[in-house]
Each structure stands twice: as C-alpha cells, then as structure tokens.
Amino acid sequence: MSKPIKPAQSSSSAGTQSAIASPKQIVGIAANAMLGKATARPTKMFMLAVSAGAFIALGFTFFTTVATGSSRLPFGVAKLLSGLVFSVGLGLVIITGADLFTSTTMNLVAKAKGMLNWSQVLTHWAIVYVGNLVGSLGVVALCYFGGLQKNANGAWGQTIVATASAKLSHTPLECFVLGIGCNLAVCLAVWLSYAGKSLTDKIVAVVGPISLFVAVGFEHSVANMYMLPYGLLLDYGNGPLTLFNALFVNLLPVTLGNILGGGVFVGIYFWYAHKDPQPAER
C-alpha cells in the first residue's frame, strides 16, 4: 500500500531542506557512508569496487582522447580540459554508489568514531583495491582489443605510452608525495559531495577538485591501474616502462600516499576538527 503524499511545504521549510549539510553534519554522513560500505557483504563490496575501477579507467580514456593532439594548445588550457573530462569518472562512482579505494581510505573516520575495527578497515581496503584493479584491467582489455590505440593514426596510443612513461619517470618519494596531493583533492571532492542534496550539487562538487589533481599531475593509484598496464602493453621495456617500475616505483608509493592524503589529511583531520569536545571531569 502506497504511503499518502505529504502536503506541499512552505517555501521557507523547503529552502531549509534544500540547504547543503553543515561541515559537522558531513562528518556524520561520511562515517555512516563508510560504515555501510565496510560492512557490506564481500560480494557486493567487490562488485562495487570493480565498477569503480572501470569508471575511473573510462575517465582516463576520455582524458586520453582529449589530450591527444592538445599540444597545440597552451599548457594550462590543455591540462584544464583533460582534468575536466576525467572528472566524469568520479562522478559516475559517486552517483552509482561504486566503491573506490582512494575514497575508501576515509573509512578511518568510522574507525575513529568507534564504528569499525582495524580488521574491517583493512579487509575493506584489500577487497576494494583488488576489485578496482580488476575493473581497470577490464577496461584496458576493452580498449586494447577494440584498437583504440590506433586512433588518430596511432597518436592515441602514443599518448598512453607518453603518459605512462611520465608517471614512471618520478622517484618513489615523488610518487608518494604526489599520491598525497592527489587523494587530498579526491577525498575533498567526495567530502564536498556528501554535503550536496541533489545530482547537480554532487557533480559540481566533484569537478573542481578532480580537475585540479589531474591538471597539476598528482598521482592516483586506481587511475594508474589503467594507464600503467596499458602503457606496458603497448611499449614494454622501452625506457622506464617495466613491471618492476610500475609496481614499486609508482603504484606502491602512490597507494601509501593516497592513504595518507585522503584517510588522514581529509578524513581524520576534519573528524578531529569538528568532533564534540569531551566533557571535563569533575
């Protein structure tokens, strides 16, 4: 039996309901969201992680298409356009409820509030990380066997190789620091999306921080799960394009940097800033 339709609200009450969540409310929203994801059944968790990895990889295919041939544009303009289109990936993740490792690092908020234990936190991270990798590699296969690397007389594939090579030209320390900067931006995008009440709110919240991280050149572990394997597939052994460099020079330090940048510098930071003070003991 359907519920009765509630009477229309006054403009003042409707305006109050449509307002964005307050900074303190966002902490609670984030904790509850992370609790739900971290306590989901493993099959659901893995499925949502696979889709998130695929969505971020699809965002990188859009990035590659726009970046190909953009060398004729001013440096900043080309980077801005690439960042704007890449934000489609995180938008899909947020709206579909998919589970992305970089934002999953904020389950430390739920841990800090006593809602999760360390076993749940680490299990969540592990399942989502593997699921993201599977989804990313699935899109690599989709693109490779679809022959996208042949687009623009092969320039599309050259963009993949050049981007992957650039990522592997950093030192491990640089990758760690760039990973911090990346997930600072990504988790701020997710954090802002928690404040939104509409589809428009959430998409607008994502575009700015994601465009920032891509345009600047920060390092995202899940995005690299797509770009690095694709680069290795197209030009393995050329310059820095080796499996060892992909795993230990880039992916491992970037992952650790992502955990610090998102889980600690966004999640724990704002939880501590907005938590209620403990009452003084008599």
Side-chain angles (χ1 to χ4, degrees), residues 32 56 77 89 92 99 103 112 122-123 130 147 153 158 164-165 167 174 181 183 186 192 201 203 225 227 231:
N32 289 329
I56 294 300
V77 174
L92 291 172
D99 208 351
S103 56
L122 297 177
T123 299
V130 173
N153 295 319
Q158 291 172 9
S165 297
K167 289 179 175 297
E174 288 172 339
N183 216 25
V186 171
L192 292 178
D201 293 341
I203 294 301
M225 291 175 184
M227 187 59 71

Side-chain angles (χ1 to χ4, degrees), residues 223-280:
N224 291 355
M225 291 175 184
Y226 166 83
M227 187 59 71
L228 296 180
Y230 206 164
L232 293 175
L233 197 59
L234 295 178
D235 203 14
Y236 186 84
N238 184 24
L241 289 173
T242 66
L243 183 60
F244 179 87
N245 287 341
L247 293 176
F248 298 106
V249 173
N250 184 280
L251 201 54
L252 178 59
V254 167
T255 299
L256 296 175
N258 286 168
I259 293 171
L260 184 59
V264 177
F265 291 165
V266 176
I268 295 298
Y269 185 92
F270 284 111
W271 162 77
Y272 187 81
H274 294 297
K275 74 172 185 175
D276 293 324
Q278 296 295 324

Side-chain angles (χ1 to χ4, degrees), residues 144-162:
Y144 180 78
F145 290 108
L148 291 188
Q149 61 273 8
K150 301 174 186 176
N151 287 351
N153 295 319
W156 202 92
Q158 291 172 9
T159 300
I160 292 284
V161 171

Side-chain angles (χ1 to χ4, degrees), residues 108-127:
L108 291 179
V109 176
K111 172 66 178 72
K113 291 175 73 70
M115 302 162 74
L116 294 173
N117 58 44
W118 277 115
S119 176
Q120 291 170 310
V121 168
L122 297 177
T123 299
H124 187 203
W125 286 358
I127 293 175

